[in-house]
């Protein structure tokens, strides 16, 4: 949901003095209503943004239905909060942001999109090709583009393979610094360090610290983070945002999901 007082980009890039949490929802993994229930539980537990995306072959309609369901649930929660003197309706005005695998899987119901260049891809498609196909659609529907450099780090998982990424190794600190400087020089506002969904190793703190040394970038880190301890390692190294996806899909039920996200968000200070 959009807030009245700030743009999505300023919501994402504003320094809050602590690391915030993003819940990634893959529309392929549950019905739109279950996705909406999960998003609301995640926000109640301390998550500050919802990403919608993940699987590479999800049709537009599924992504759209998921965005619509999440937005409707957030609106209901915001309205309910507005009727109660003890609640803050702005708490529920959390951006729903597309995290796309390509120029498919877009929806006009999203507030924004991580408009990404997979900087370490060897395939033109992921450097600029998919973006050229998607840009007219995004402009037509008024979905905000969040200019994002996307770097796939070892082990990289499916996105590393599909995106033909030259994986960044855990000790490639000079390389990641060169990429982060490049991202800043291109005018990207966000840099996303990705280990791959379900990775057995998260992005190394050395890489996060090295990327952090470039000024002016909001740093998002994801892939393989399942515990509060892992989240703290990424936060202490300088991540502005931590993304978890698999953790939501693996939760036994909504109560378990709430516990999992609460434990991460409380260690981050949310
Ligand atoms: C994937 O970084 C995200 O793009 C989240 O990864 O599914 O391992 O949490 P996980």
């Amino acid at each position: 949901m959009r807030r009245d007082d700030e743009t999505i980009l300023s919501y994402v890039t504003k320094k809050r003095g602590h690391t915030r949490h993003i819940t990634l929802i893959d529309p392929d993994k549950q019905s739109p209503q279950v996705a909406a229930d999960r998003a609301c539980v995640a926000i109640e537990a301390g998550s500050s943004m919802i990403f919608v995306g993940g699987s590479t072959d999800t049709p537009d309609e599924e992504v759209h239905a998921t965005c619509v369901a999440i937005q409707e649930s957030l609106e209901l929660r915001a309205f309910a909060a507005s009727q109660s003197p003890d609640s803050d309706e702005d708490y529920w005005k959390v951006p729903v942001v597309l995290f796309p695998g390509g120029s498919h899987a877009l929806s006009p119901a999203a507030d924004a999109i991580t408009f990404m260049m997979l900087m370490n891809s060897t395939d033109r498609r992921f450097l600029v090709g998919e973006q050229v196909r998607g840009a007219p659609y995004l402009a037509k529907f008024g979905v905000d583009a969040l200019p994002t450099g996307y770097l796939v780090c070892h082990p990289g998982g499916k996105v590393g393979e599909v995106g033909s990424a030259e994986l960044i190794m855990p000790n490639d600190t000079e390389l990641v610094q060169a990429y982060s400087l490049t991202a800043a020089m291109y005018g990207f506002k966000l840099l996303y360090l990705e280990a791959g969904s379900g990775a057995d190793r998260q992005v190394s703190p050395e890489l996060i610290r090295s990327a952090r040394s470039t000024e002016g970038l909001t740093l998002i880190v994801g892939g393989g983070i399942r515990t509060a301890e892992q989240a703290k390692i990424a936060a202490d190294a300088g991540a502005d945002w931590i993304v978890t996806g698999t953790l939501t899909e693996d939760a036994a039920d909504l109560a378990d999901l709430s516990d999992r996200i609460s434990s991460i968000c409380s260690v981050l200070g949310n």
Side-chain angles (χ1 to χ4, degrees), residues 24-257:
L24 169 63
I25 292 187
D26 184 343
D28 211 31
K29 300 283 166 64
Q30 69 278 287
S31 69
Q33 194 48 54
V34 171
D37 293 344
R38 287 178 168 176
C40 287
V41 164
I43 291 161
E44 207 152 30
S47 204
S48 303
M49 183 151 56
I50 303 295
F51 274 3
V52 177
S55 292
T56 39
D57 42 14
T58 315
D60 281 355
E61 305 79 58
E62 240 175 77
V63 175
H64 182 59
T66 298
C67 288
V68 168
I70 294 172
Q71 294 284 28
E72 284 177 357
S73 291
L74 293 179
E75 277 164 31
L76 280 175
R77 294 295 189 108
F79 176 74
S82 74
Q83 304 302 301
S84 158
D86 304 327
S87 304
D88 174 13
E89 67 178 295
D90 275 354
Y91 182 84
W92 292 98
K93 293 185 178 174
V94 163
V96 177
V97 175
L98 296 167
F99 174 61
S103 58
H104 59 283
L106 305 179
S107 162
D111 299 307
I113 181 171
T114 52
F115 194 71
M116 300 189 286
M117 175 193 285
L118 203 177
M119 299 179 76
N120 57 331
S121 176
T122 58
D123 186 342
R124 178 191 176 276
R125 240 185 91 200
F126 297 102
L127 293 164
V128 74
E130 292 291 322
Q131 297 80 336
V132 170
R133 288 157 61 108
Y137 177 96
L138 299 168
K140 182 173 169 192
F141 290 110
V143 176
D144 293 8
L146 308 175
T148 306
Y150 189 48
L151 288 175
V152 183
C153 306
H154 181 80
K158 195 173 171 199
V159 67
E161 279 170 40
V162 173
S164 308
E166 288 182 328
L167 299 178
I168 296 176
M169 301 310 285
N171 56 356
D172 277 342
T173 52
E174 283 184 25
L175 181 62
V176 89
Q177 194 188 12
Y179 270 119
S180 65
L181 286 167
T182 305
M185 288 175 186
Y186 264 115
F188 296 158
K189 301 296 180 221
L190 278 55
L191 185 69
Y192 191 139
L193 301 182
E194 169 75 86
S197 184
D200 57 10
R201 285 184 68 174
Q202 68 189 106
V203 175
S204 76
E206 291 77 17
L207 290 185
I208 299 171
R209 266 194 290 276
S210 189
R212 175 77 288 157
S213 64
T214 300
E215 282 181 24
L217 289 171
T218 293
L219 210 52
I220 303 178
V221 177
I225 297 175
R226 294 179 193 82
T227 64
E229 292 71 27
Q230 288 176 301
K232 188 161 171 15
I233 288 169
D236 288 348
D240 293 300
W241 290 91
I242 284 167
V243 185
T244 64
T246 303
L247 174 145
T248 300
E249 292 156 18
D250 286 353
D253 52 30
L254 291 177
D256 184 31
L257 176 61

